[in-house]
Amino acid sequence: MASPRTSPSPKPAGTCPVPPDPGRTALPDRQEGATVYDEVGTAGVPPEDRVRHWERAVRSRLAPVEVTPRAGNTDFEGTISGGDAGCVRLLSMRATPLGLSCTARPVPAGRDDGPALILQEQGTATVRQDGRAAVVPAGCMVLLDLARPFRLEQHTPFHLYAVRLPERALGPSATHVPRVTGRAFPGSEGVGALLRPFATEMAYGAATLAGHVRERLAGNLVDLVAALVDEQARLRGAKEPVTAREELVERIRAHIDTHLRDPRLSPARVAEAHGISLRRLHVLFEGEDTTVHRLVQQRRIEECARELRRRACASRSISAVGRGWGFRNAAHFSRAFRSVYGCSPSEWRAAV
């Protein structure tokens, strides 16, 4: 979805003195049905009102943050633009040096602040969250949990893209978010090498796409963010097996994940595949706060939930999704799904 590169337009008087993004100037014409795209800037706003004006724009689009200009900066300037694609909000932010901070606050019932992936395009920042701190140079990314306190300090004029998504869209990967906040991820290796160019092009060009294309790409973007969270949790915080028992449990969990789609998967088959008795298998999982049967069902439900929220799979019936992940009976699938998520599969699909 790369867009043609053009020469940058001259900088209008009063705009943010951040180096322009080469080739990205005026927003292209949007196709019919495209997402609502808006832009708020400080041009034309009295200097004494600019910070609060821009803060209100950020609070309404990203999170209830406080904006603090860098000490000595008396001529604050900034712009924020973007819109929604499916369940994802895509934002572009440019400003002079500042700090964005969020303090502890109650989250209103029914509100899902979720995480936001910050892609640092220009400038250097530092991030602090969950007792960790990291430097975020241009080309790197950081994940913020918008429901918990954080501070993002921009030390120079900057440009960043923000990808905000509801926590529930991440499925089981959401449980790993607290382990990867407050860290900088390179945008040139692993999942980051796939995610960063895709997310930046989405943030810039989503408004030019037809609605069904935009929603399908948004689903792919969510999957890439979930993959990044899983990858970084494994690299940064995963506990290495230290005993023979823990190593065997890890192998069994991996075996279950690999064979989730097989409706014949059962504790007896898992035990047989690892050359142990069924009783030994149950003893192994006594310290895992679950049973093998519950683990299989939980993982199947999580994968069904992930597939149901993908717009690209909207044409598949709910019973087909359940069968695809090993549920032979539609009624059993619906009951099991409700026991985990508190709603039916059809209600889940409609809400995402």
Side-chain angles (χ1 to χ4, degrees), residues 28-78:
D29 292 337
R30 289 170 293 193
Q31 297 196 17
E32 183 178 356
T35 185
V36 174
Y37 181 100
D38 69 350
E39 180 173 309
V40 175
T42 56
V45 178
E48 64 273 17
D49 297 330
R50 290 177 182 174
V51 174
R52 300 286 78 84
H53 175 77
W54 200 72
E55 181 182 74
R56 286 194 297 271
V58 176
R59 290 173 69 93
S60 66
R61 290 160 178 79
L62 181 65
V65 298
E66 294 183 3
V67 175
T68 308
R70 192 171 183 180
N73 180 10
T74 58
D75 190 22
F76 175 81
E77 294 179 344

Side-chain angles (χ1 to χ4, degrees), residues 87 112 114-115 165-178 219 221-227 229-230 298-310 337 340-341 348 352:
C87 67
D112 185 356
L165 58 158
E167 183 179 55
R168 64 184 295 178
L170 290 177
S173 302
T175 60
H176 299 319
V177 168
L221 180 56
V222 170
D223 285 343
L224 283 172
V225 173
V229 171
D230 291 342
Q298 175 77 20
R299 289 292 298 115
R300 282 175 169 163
I301 290 296
E302 289 172 348
E303 292 302 328
C304 287
R306 188 191 294 268
E307 186 166 332
L308 285 170
R309 64 142 174 82
R310 294 192 63 184
F337 194 97
V340 174
Y341 288 102
W348 172 270
V352 174

Side-chain angles (χ1 to χ4, degrees), residues 100 118 120 123-138 140-144 150-155 179-186 232 236:
L100 297 174
I118 305 299
Q120 189 81 11
T124 299
T126 54
V127 62
R128 293 179 176 83
Q129 189 168 42
D130 294 326
R132 295 183 288 268
V135 176
V136 189
C140 285
M141 303 173 287
V142 64
L143 192 72
L144 297 176
F150 68 83
R151 182 165 181 82
L152 183 66
E153 189 83 28
Q154 298 286 349
H155 302 286
R179 295 162 61 185
V180 300
T181 53
R183 304 181 189 274
F185 315 138
Q232 293 298 321
R236 312 259 183 168

